[in-house]
């Protein structure tokens, strides 16, 4: 029996392929729509409905500050969903080591959970005894090939990683590795990759467009990728506190950009953190997710805990670290965080620290700078930690 033939199959297939290629370059548009610049056109209506019932300003007449912190922390953990199962033992191994100017650098591996083992950098000051420590949290930057290497000068790794890290630090950190700077001044410094950065990325390689898909797949598995990042930061701090050369009562955290967001989230959720420094990440939701400044939020999964905004805003969450010392630096040329929103957030936070008679423990600055963590910012961080951890 003769097989069915499609006499013009090849031209047809080519034509369809060209059509799809054209559509991929020029998106099809309808005259009626409901979303614009990755947000619903009714975004202002959503914003108007957000009353933040668990903000301290809305709870202080009905409960004590201690009760508020406990209740709100638990609410955040409930919204974050299940934590990765804790490892039975961290089982740290030193993979490589080198002596630097006044401190030792180690490349280590340890069990961050029962599901995954990670690598990290650890800097240990010379001299015996227990030292203050800083969990240093790397930025986003839409650059995922490196993570921990943005904070600590890498070694015992690929040349491509080292060169990429040097370029990144030259651009965002004014040529100085913040971790090495702190270690040289007497701090144990730890830094690891967040999920999907560096050595925790995709086997297929870096593709920013794939990460939101991965976050969606995680949600379908009943897990939140942003929450995993915060759980990892909490667990890595617990690991840091177990090291024999670390004074567990003098542990701080710091970061720039997404690292700043991770830092104040960590300080808000952990009793292991005594002081926090955050550079270039604080704002109110009303000024972040809006069309009035002609920009849009591109963080994606990196700061997305489902339904959290129905209960509290960013400054409300950061205020959970009160009364502990907190330093937040913003830039008046930072295009990611419009100054009016930063000022509103700072004002809300100062109300919380003032209510606990600890106003001096909250330091907020809007400096003449863009979105970066320059040498002046790093010096301010060191002085802040010297004051509060030493």
């Amino acid at each position: 029996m003769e097989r069915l033939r499609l006499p013009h199959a090849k031209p047809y297939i080519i034509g369809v392929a060209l059509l799809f290629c054209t559509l991929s370059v020029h998106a099809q548009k309808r005259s009626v729509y409901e979303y614009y610049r990755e947000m619903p056109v009714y975004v202002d209506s959503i914003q108007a409905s957000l009353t933040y019932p668990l903000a301290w300003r809305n709870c202080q007449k009905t409960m004590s500050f201690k009760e508020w912190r406990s209740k709100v922390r638990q609410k955040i953990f409930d919204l974050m969903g299940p934590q990765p199962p804790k490892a039975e033992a961290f089982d740290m191994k030193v993979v490589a080591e080198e002596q630097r100017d006044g401190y030792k650098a180690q490349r280590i591996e340890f069990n961050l959970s029962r599901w995954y083992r990670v690598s990290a950098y650890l800097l240990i000051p010379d001299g015996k005894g227990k030292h203050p420590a800083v969990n240093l949290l790397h930025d986003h930057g839409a650059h995922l090939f490196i993570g921990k290497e943005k904070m600590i000068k890498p070694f015992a790794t690929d040349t491509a990683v080292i060169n990429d890290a040097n370029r990144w630090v030259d651009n965002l950190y004014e040529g100085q590795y913040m971790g090495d700077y702190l270690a040289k001044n007497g701090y144990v410094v730890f830094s690891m990759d967040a999920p999907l950065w560096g050595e925790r990325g995709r086997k297929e390689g870096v593709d920013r467009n794939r990460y939101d898909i991965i976050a969606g797949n995680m949600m379908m598995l009943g897990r939140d990728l942003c929450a995993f990042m915060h759980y990892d930061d909490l667990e890595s701090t617990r690991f840091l506190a177990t090291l024999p050369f670390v004074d567990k009562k003098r542990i701080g955290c710091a970061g720039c950009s997404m690292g700043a967001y991770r830092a104040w989230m960590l300080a808000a959720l952990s009793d292991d953190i005594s002081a926090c420094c955050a550079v270039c990440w604080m704002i109110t939701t009303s000024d972040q997710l809006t069309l009035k400044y002609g920009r849009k939020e591109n963080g994606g999964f990196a700061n997305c805990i489902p339904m959290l905004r129905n209960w509290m805003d960013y400054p409300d969450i950061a205020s959970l670290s009160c009364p502990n010392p907190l330093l937040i630096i913003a830039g008046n040329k930072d295009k990611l965080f419009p100054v009016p929103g930063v000022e509103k957030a700072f004002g809300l936070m100062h109300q919380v620290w003032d209510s606990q008679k600890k106003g001096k423990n909250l330091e907020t600055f809007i400096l003449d700078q863009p979105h970066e963590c320059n040498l002046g910012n790093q010096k301010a961080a060191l002085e802040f930690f010297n004051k509060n951890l030493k």
Side-chain angles (χ1 to χ4, degrees):
M1 183 176 178
E2 187 176 0
R3 289 187 295 176
L4 178 65
R5 297 173 183 266
L6 298 176
H8 301 293
K10 187 173 292 186
Y12 171 77
I13 293 171
I14 292 173
V16 171
L18 289 173
L19 173 63
F20 279 114
C21 286
T22 301
L23 293 178
S24 66
V25 175
H26 303 287
Q28 291 177 293
K29 296 181 180 180
R30 297 289 295 266
S31 58
V32 178
Y33 57 89
E34 196 169 326
Y35 294 85
Y36 172 66
R37 292 179 65 85
E38 286 70 65
M39 284 191 285
V41 295
Y42 48 86
V43 60
D44 290 339
S45 297
I46 295 178
Q47 293 279 18
S49 72
L50 301 178
T51 59
Y52 309 121
L54 286 185
W56 171 241
R57 59 188 178 278
N58 295 322
C59 295
Q60 56 187 328
K61 292 182 179 180
T62 59
M63 63 184 78
S64 70
F65 191 76
K66 183 178 181 180
E67 290 171 333
W68 173 76
R69 289 180 81 237
S70 177
K71 179 178 180 178
V72 172
R73 271 188 180 178
Q74 188 56 56
K75 184 65 177 181
I76 295 173
F77 285 127
D78 289 344
L79 293 171
M80 284 168 62
Q83 180 176 1
K86 293 186 177 183
E88 294 180 1
F90 290 119
D91 188 26
M92 186 190 97
K93 296 287 189 297
V94 178
V95 177
E97 184 176 280
E98 70 176 24
Q99 182 64 39
R100 294 180 180 175
D101 184 13
Y103 59 99
K104 178 169 56 181
Q106 292 183 339
R107 184 179 173 88
I108 64 171
E109 293 179 352
F110 70 103
N111 296 325
L112 189 55
S113 78
R114 288 213 312 267
W115 291 346
Y116 41 91
R117 185 173 176 84
V118 302
S119 63
Y121 285 115
L122 186 63
L123 306 180
I124 309 166
D126 295 343
K128 297 180 180 180
K130 294 182 180 292
H131 305 277
V134 176
N135 191 346
L136 203 49
L137 308 159
H138 69 74
D139 60 71
H140 187 305
H143 187 71
L144 301 103
F145 181 62
I146 54 174
K148 59 188 179 294
E149 297 87 1
K150 297 176 179 181
M151 309 310 298
I152 292 176
K153 185 177 180 180
F155 73 109
T157 188
D158 297 339
T159 301
V161 171
I162 295 173
N163 292 339
D164 194 40
N166 287 334
R167 286 191 295 268
W168 191 260
V169 169
D170 284 344
N171 181 56
L172 193 63
Y173 297 90
E174 209 171 341
Q176 178 172 268
Y177 284 92
M178 188 171 179
D180 291 76
Y181 173 65
L182 292 173
K184 192 173 181 178
N185 282 278
Y187 290 85
V188 172
V189 181
F190 168 91
S191 191
M192 70 174 187
D193 298 320
L196 297 181
W197 269 264
E199 293 173 291
R200 304 183 68 188
R202 296 169 67 242
K203 179 180 179 180
E204 301 89 343
V206 173
D207 183 347
R208 172 65 180 85
N209 294 327
R210 298 288 179 178
Y211 290 130
D212 293 333
I213 297 174
I214 292 172
N217 288 339
M218 290 284 282
M219 286 185 180
M220 287 189 282
L221 290 167
R223 301 296 185 272
D224 181 68
L225 192 56
C226 177
F228 267 44
M229 178 175 71
H230 296 311
Y231 281 132
D232 287 351
D233 291 340
L234 286 161
E235 193 66 5
S236 67
T237 304
R238 192 170 74 87
F239 161 73
L240 187 58
T242 67
L243 299 177
F245 41 82
V246 168
D247 183 345
K248 65 180 181 180
K249 293 183 179 180
R250 293 188 292 156
I251 298 178
C253 61
C256 172
S257 192
M258 183 186 78
Y261 163 73
R262 293 168 63 193
W264 56 252
M265 280 291 292
L266 175 58
L269 297 175
S270 174
D271 289 327
D272 293 325
I273 297 296
S274 298
C276 171
C277 172
V279 180
C280 290
W281 211 118
M282 178 49 68
I283 197 168
T284 56
T285 298
S286 61
D287 291 278
Q288 178 197 42
L289 295 175
T290 179
L291 300 175
K292 66 183 178 182
Y293 295 112
R295 61 166 303 277
K296 58 184 179 180
E297 168 59 29
N298 293 312
F301 71 86
N303 57 302
C304 181
I305 297 175
M307 307 303 162
L308 183 55
R309 212 55 67 240
N310 289 320
W311 301 99
M312 63 206 84
D313 202 355
Y314 295 119
D316 305 322
I317 301 167
S319 295
L320 288 169
S321 64
C322 177
N324 287 342
L326 173 61
L327 167 65
I328 303 187
I329 296 172
N332 62 5
K333 297 176 183 175
D334 188 339
K335 296 180 180 180
L336 299 181
F337 299 97
V339 170
V342 176
E343 291 176 334
K344 291 176 192 174
F346 285 174
L348 292 170
M349 295 172 67
H350 278 287
Q351 289 176 20
V352 179
W353 265 261
D354 289 344
S355 75
Q356 302 307 302
K357 297 180 173 28
K358 292 291 184 178
K360 292 183 179 180
N361 281 359
L362 175 62
E363 302 178 48
T364 59
F365 300 94
I366 300 177
L367 304 181
D368 186 21
Q369 66 177 68
H371 190 78
E372 65 181 11
C373 184
N374 56 48
L375 297 181
N377 299 156
Q378 295 180 52
K379 181 180 179 182
L382 175 63
E383 292 173 349
F384 170 78
F385 285 133
N386 285 346
K387 180 172 64 175
N388 293 293
L389 296 181
K390 280 191 174 181

